[in-house]
Amino acid sequence: MDNGQKSVAEAKDAPSAVVGGAKKTTEPRMVRGTKAEVPVFERKNWLLHMHYIRRDFETCKILIKEMLIETDDMCEYARYVLGMILRQEGEIQGSLQMFQQAALLNPINVENIKQVARSHYLLGKHNAALDAYSEALKLSPSDWEILHNQGVCYMHLKLYGKAIDRLQTALKLSPQTVTYMELGRVHLLKEDISSALVVYQDAVRHNPEDPELLATLGLLYLENGQPQKGFESLGSALTYDPSNNKAILAAGCMMQDHGDYDVALSKYRVAAITSPESPQLWNNIAMCFFGKKKYVAAISCLKRANYLAPFEWQVLYNLGLVHLTMQQYASSFHFFSAAIAQNSKCAKLYMLLGITLTHLEDHESARKSYEQAISLDRYPLVYNKLRVG
């Protein structure tokens, strides 16, 4: 055995070294005349990954083009990364094609199929997404993420029973916060508040320091007529995240309902820093000013809320109410009519529209509006106004 062959044999038989409790094998030295070649398809994967995590997408695209030319369009990772880049740039259809090509190159890679399904989902093709997720599930039957996404697809298809089944199975594999949130959402879509409460209570037991879960649970308690528990959950949410928008809005609403407008405004001021474009926030701020009889400030805030959410009927309702209070009947008629166009099932809207029409001396239209209010909900207030008119 010559010296070169002997050195290779010694390297192969070298003892393993333990570093920090982990076993580390001493690397053999290269022998002159030999070369460890990385397969050509994966040779530049590390460089592409480095540029991608730095979000240097232009360099990534140039490198991907070179890699595809070098590999005769056979580089799976290049197509995968290009698909991810196109998705982040809003080109969902193009990203779908890239992931489909990557899946053809390596049909047993579950990540490729999951991204194909995700692209279908983003395009609103929920049935196609479900088919792709079913294929992915065959390759990875214990992947909670696949089951979770199947549940979300079923939810959008309004197949709530199947959605609940998939999401519950995903929770058994891995109790993820996002899965609890979606499962609770499905129960709320079914108008099953008690089941949603059970889901969020279980979620808080698994994640007791999650402010989003605590805030959602607090809102459900309030909706279910349990204000004390609701206030406790909202307080816990604000303890862990003082800038949590959902908890601040809920706590502010409770103070607003009790007439503590200044305290509520101080809460909303904190929320405005993190969520300056929240229509619900500006609506609530406006109604605080309305309670303080600062009507011009209230209208200004409501106009901003209406700009951010032009189809939110509650904002239009409040705009009509403030203008009615200021005796600006033409403007109140405009906003009440717009609100009715968005929600034709609210009796109070027809009642207030009738009051506005009465002030505009259109008594026939006012009578019809009151009758419509009575047909929707027999409020005593409507009867009283009808008798006066």
Side-chain angles (χ1 to χ4, degrees):
M1 183 181 296
D2 58 24
N3 291 336
Q5 293 174 332
K6 185 176 180 181
S7 62
V8 173
E10 289 173 351
K12 288 181 179 178
D13 296 334
S16 298
V18 177
V19 179
K23 189 176 181 181
K24 181 178 178 181
T25 305
T26 305
E27 292 291 333
R29 291 178 296 172
M30 294 302 301
V31 181
R32 184 176 296 177
T34 65
K35 187 176 180 181
E37 287 284 350
V38 177
V40 68
F41 294 163
E42 291 90 21
R43 187 180 299 169
K44 294 182 179 178
N45 284 4
W46 67 273
L47 183 60
L48 178 58
H49 177 72
M50 184 182 70
H51 286 296
Y52 176 74
I53 61 175
R54 292 178 178 176
R55 301 186 64 81
D56 187 0
F57 293 158
E58 292 304 316
T59 304
C60 283
K61 289 179 180 179
I62 295 170
L63 185 57
I64 287 169
K65 187 176 181 180
E66 293 176 359
M67 293 171 69
L68 292 175
I69 292 173
E70 289 176 2
T71 62
D72 195 20
D73 289 338
M74 295 296 289
C75 185
E76 174 196 355
Y77 187 66
R79 293 196 177 279
Y80 181 92
V81 173
L82 182 56
M84 297 296 290
I85 293 171
L86 292 174
R87 178 185 292 169
Q88 293 182 56
E89 293 177 345
E91 299 181 31
I92 308 301
Q93 187 63 47
S95 71
L96 172 61
Q97 294 173 0
M98 289 299 106
F99 292 129
Q100 286 173 331
Q101 291 172 11
L104 287 173
L105 291 172
N106 187 1
I108 63 172
N109 186 343
V110 70
E111 291 301 321
N112 291 332
I113 303 173
K114 284 165 69 174
Q115 295 303 332
V116 169
R118 178 66 178 169
S119 296
H120 281 306
Y121 170 80
L122 293 173
L123 289 168
K125 301 177 180 178
H126 299 116
N127 284 313
L130 281 170
D131 292 339
Y133 280 127
S134 296
E135 290 298 318
L137 198 62
K138 293 176 183 177
L139 296 173
S140 181
S142 59
D143 191 328
W144 72 269
E145 187 179 359
I146 297 173
L147 291 161
H148 168 92
N149 290 331
Q150 281 185 323
V152 173
C153 288
Y154 281 125
M155 179 184 68
H156 286 293
L157 292 170
K158 298 184 179 180
L159 299 173
Y160 299 132
K162 290 184 177 180
I164 291 171
D165 177 66
R166 290 294 189 277
L167 291 169
Q168 286 177 338
T169 306
L171 284 173
K172 290 177 182 177
L173 293 172
S174 180
Q176 298 288 329
T177 299
V178 64
T179 308
Y180 278 114
M181 294 292 288
E182 293 297 337
L183 181 57
R185 184 181 172 192
V186 173
H187 285 300
L188 290 175
L189 288 171
K190 293 178 64 181
E191 299 182 355
D192 188 355
I193 295 178
S194 58
S195 296
L197 267 174
V198 172
V199 170
Y200 285 116
Q201 286 168 346
D202 189 33
V204 169
R205 280 194 291 271
H206 281 89
N207 305 281
E209 298 181 2
D210 191 302
E212 194 68 21
L213 285 174
L214 288 165
T216 305
L217 181 61
L219 289 171
L220 280 177
Y221 277 132
L222 293 177
E223 191 172 345
N224 204 40
Q226 298 173 272
Q228 184 61 38
K229 288 186 176 181
F231 194 77
E232 289 174 3
S233 292
L234 292 172
S236 299
L238 290 172
T239 300
Y240 293 116
D241 182 10
S243 61
N244 185 277
N245 188 52
K246 188 184 291 186
I248 289 172
L249 283 175
C253 283
M254 294 178 68
M255 296 166 186
Q256 201 169 334
D257 289 341
H258 288 86
D260 297 331
Y261 300 120
D262 290 323
V263 179
L265 283 170
S266 67
K267 292 288 183 184
Y268 295 146
R269 191 176 293 113
V270 176
I273 298 172
T274 56
S275 303
E277 296 184 358
S278 169
Q280 293 82 8
L281 172 65
W282 288 107
N283 177 77
N284 290 5
I285 291 173
M287 299 320 289
C288 280
F289 285 128
F290 179 72
K292 291 163 68 70
K293 301 187 186 306
K294 297 181 178 180
Y295 301 131
V296 175
I299 288 175
S300 177
C301 293
L302 284 169
K303 287 290 182 70
R304 182 164 185 174
N306 183 236
Y307 172 77
L308 294 169
F311 302 112
E312 195 73 46
W313 72 269
Q314 291 96 333
V315 176
L316 296 166
Y317 174 101
N318 289 334
L319 273 167
L321 184 63
V322 177
H323 282 293
L324 180 61
T325 305
M326 296 179 70
Q327 299 181 1
Q328 297 174 349
Y329 303 121
S331 295
S332 66
F333 170 78
H334 167 74
F335 288 114
F336 285 138
S337 299
I340 288 172
Q342 300 300 324
N343 180 13
S344 59
K345 303 297 183 182
C346 180
K348 286 185 179 180
L349 279 171
Y350 286 101
M351 182 194 71
L352 291 171
L353 180 62
I355 295 172
T356 303
L357 290 168
T358 301
H359 285 291
L360 292 171
E361 298 184 356
D362 187 353
H363 301 296
E364 181 61 26
S365 297
R367 183 182 63 80
K368 291 179 180 178
S369 185
Y370 291 138
E371 288 175 349
Q372 181 65 22
I374 291 171
S375 68
L376 290 171
D377 199 346
R378 294 179 175 272
Y379 285 109
L381 180 61
V382 177
Y383 282 118
N384 292 338
K385 188 61 193 177
L386 187 58
R387 285 196 293 270
V388 170

